[in-house]
Amino acid sequence: MNSQEIKTGWERAPHRSLLRATGVTSADFDKPFIGVCNSFSEAIPGHMHLDAVAACIKKQIRKAGGVPIEFNTIGICDGIAMGHSGMKYCLPSRELIADAVESVVRAHCFDALVCIPNCDKIVPGMLMGALRVNIPTIMVSGGPMAAGRTPAGKVVDLISVFEAVAAHERGMMSDDELRTIEECACPGAGSCSGMFTANSMNCLCEAIGIALPGNGTVLATNPKRKRIYRLAGNRIVAMAKAGGPRPREIVTEKSLDNAFALDMAMGGSTNTILHGLAIAHEAGVKYDLERINAISNRCPNICKVSPSSPYHMEDVDRAGGVSAILREIAEIEGLIHRDCPTVTGKSIWQNVARAKVHDPAVIRPLDNPYSTDGGIAILYGNLAPEGSVVKKAGVAPSMLQFQGPAIVFDSQEAACEGILAGKVRAGHVVVIRYEGPRGGPGMQEMLAPTSYIMGQGLGESVALITDGRFSGGTRGACIGHVSPEAAEGGLIALLRDGDQVRIDIPGHKLEALLSEDEIQRRRAALPPFVPRITTGWLARYARLVSNASAGAVLT
């Protein structure tokens, strides 16, 4: 056991003395030490109950013969950080969390690890750290939030509030109507109720095999989650004693294929691309955007969840959950690698083989998909020679192919001001640049501007492209992760108001209709990029981060 390093031999008497001060007993020194990496926080709705989650898991670890040792990481709520400078810190926090997990596990010599995340960057951050230390690990989320309901019975969620703000700004909604939606949209603990980034990542953890079935869809308030917590406590002690399976045995090229197949079937957040590439990097797996496109081309979109449909995570769980979706798409020959190992001790196929779809309106059969290809697409072209990403599942059919004049903003704040001021009109392609990993820095999510576009009734007549990224709550013809980013001198930095931009999502194309001579003239006149932030953590991050096509990892 790794923990022998700090608890065996007379020279470790000082270490044992310190451990005794934390509550470790003489009888505990023969047992595996299980790190319980929690992200409990009263600042995040999805994390405010994780203290109770950890307590349940720790109790079961004790019963199973292990010694639970809890420690914490930071967490940021993307929704609360949205629309102001705090959003610049969200993606970079993923790297801090990965570093923290690596640091504590290495320093304290744990034998195995339970990670308790729930939202946004915390999920991939913890998994990235676990891959670095490569000790037996189970990811256990806190579960999704229930959808909200107004007194009139209307189902609402966080995106309803963002879109209501734009409607209110235009005089289309009263103060009382907006207040009602605000008060009802987020009814309690859990990760926001749609197919946003947090729930997308927690579902993908099931498909990878690093989390137990039900992890992504059973509501935070559902008593069934306690069974998941107890099973995780039992399994992690068994895995510690057996020495595996370890994260790098679970997170492989094949299991990432399975995860992205699920992503395409569910139309998950585009952030899954960013995080999936970063997870592959930490696992030592070569994985690129072309491979993701190949999976998308083979996998139908059979499930849509808010903001792409009226359904929420509770509906997906009721319909059979992740297991039922995987079972359905496994019928496509070669799409799901059935032999991939998982933390249950069984293969992914053994986990899902008996799953059934209980509501074909929520999880459609293969012969009645929303589309015959996946819910996410990778676009290339002179605007994105290294790739860009769109949530195709959230795009209206009329917007799958679009061309229009650019209206260019050099920051998200400028774009929000312009949209709310009525500068954006039907037919425009909104360009928001210098918001990439390096340029932002931090690659802000563009939920506010996309919600304002929707709230103004422009969702089917305006497209948006950016070197930033989008919330899982974004819908519409919104293309992010444009690489190279503006701060690297990508073509997006050369665009001007009125330039024609062509979007062809089925053809996987994103192009500016400029001649090569004109591009070269503009490039020669482009001034060097001047960093917006020159001190503190974000300045260090900007110097080290790769672009989105490589997962925005630190190099």
Side-chain angles (χ1 to χ4, degrees), residues 377-394:
I378 311 299
L379 311 187
Y380 295 94
N382 64 357
L383 266 172
E386 296 175 15
S388 61
V389 182
V390 62
K391 186 172 182 175
K392 179 174 170 284

Side-chain angles (χ1 to χ4, degrees), residues 3 10 45 49 80 113 135 138 144 168 175 183 210 229 247 304 309 331 351 371 378 382-383 437 496-497 532:
S3 57
W10 287 114
H49 62 305
I80 294 173
L113 185 64
I135 60 173
I138 299 178
H168 178 267
D175 292 354
E183 291 173 350
I210 199 73
Y229 304 150
K304 284 191 178 184
S309 84
E331 294 300 313
N351 285 350
S371 64
I378 311 299
N382 64 357
L383 266 172
R496 298 174 183 170
D497 286 351
R532 291 169 171 166

